Amino acid sequence: MGDLVTARLVLHPMSVSEAERVLAGGSDGGARWAPGYPTDGDRSAARRFLGNCASIGDPQPFGTYEIRRREDGQAIGGIDFHGPVAEDGSVTIGYGLIPSARGKGYASEALSGLLRFARAHGVARVKGDADHDNIASQRVMMAAGMRPVGQDERVRYFAIAWSDATATADADPSCC
């Protein structure tokens, strides 16, 4: 599984050793992390990824991706599928950026790229959620084409669905 490339970002599929480094909070000489990376959310995603690897094997291409800026290669956050595609063709996503990378459109760009990738790989529906007070995350999902589908006392739920998920002749599955 190779990197997914957008206009300004590289979505790099995380390996087990990379996830272990994120959990440990230390990088090796070859890894370039922007100041503030990894966040608690990145460590949580790495933990979930390692749990999936232990229980079902490497979930790629529906695993965890490090968000890197193309201009300098630095990791600024992460985006992931919370698990493999369900029997109904749906998958849940999550994402986050370091504070200094927020407000620049990176999260919307990364999510849009991952949504195109999911659609090109036969996913019928992508779901996500955001706390009621996390207006920025709600705007990211809406900018990427997801729409509100419900809420509870804590979060708003979002989704995007395609009826033609497997009929994507116009989509390039190797690129975003």
Side-chain angles (χ1 to χ4, degrees), residues 15-38:
S15 69
V16 168
S17 63
E18 289 166 332
E20 289 169 343
R21 277 195 301 277
V22 165
L23 275 179
S27 64
D28 65 13
R32 289 186 279 178
W33 293 355
Y37 182 85

Side-chain angles (χ1 to χ4, degrees), residues 103-115:
K104 298 177 173 127
Y106 291 138
S108 295
E109 183 175 330
L111 180 56
S112 293
L114 202 66
L115 291 175

Side-chain angles (χ1 to χ4, degrees), residues 47-173:
R47 192 174 300 109
R48 182 175 40 251
F49 171 72
L50 291 171
N52 284 338
C53 286
S55 64
I56 62 169
D58 188 343
Q60 294 299 356
F62 297 103
T64 299
Y65 293 79
E66 202 171 60
I67 301 172
R68 299 176 179 171
R69 285 187 299 243
R70 287 180 66 181
E71 68 185 42
D72 61 11
Q74 288 192 322
I76 58 171
I79 189 164
D80 73 327
F81 296 100
H82 289 189
V85 179
E87 286 185 27
D88 67 357
S90 69
V91 67
T92 302
I93 53 87
Y95 52 86
L97 295 173
I98 59 173
S100 64
R102 295 177 187 158
K104 298 177 173 127
Y106 291 138
S108 295
E109 183 175 330
L111 180 56
S112 293
L114 202 66
L115 291 175
R116 284 190 299 273
F117 176 82
R119 184 177 185 187
H121 282 78
V123 172
R125 183 174 190 209
V126 176
K127 302 180 285 185
D129 62 68
D131 290 344
H132 286 288
D133 63 350
N134 191 345
I135 303 303
S137 186
Q138 293 175 37
R139 287 182 179 152
V140 164
M141 286 187 272
M142 291 179 59
M146 299 177 78
R147 295 293 172 246
V149 294
Q151 63 182 1
D152 61 25
E153 66 282 347
R154 191 179 66 82
V155 299
R156 286 185 78 186
Y157 297 96
F158 292 79
I160 187 170
W162 305 281
S163 59
D164 64 339
T166 57
T168 56
D170 59 330
D172 179 356

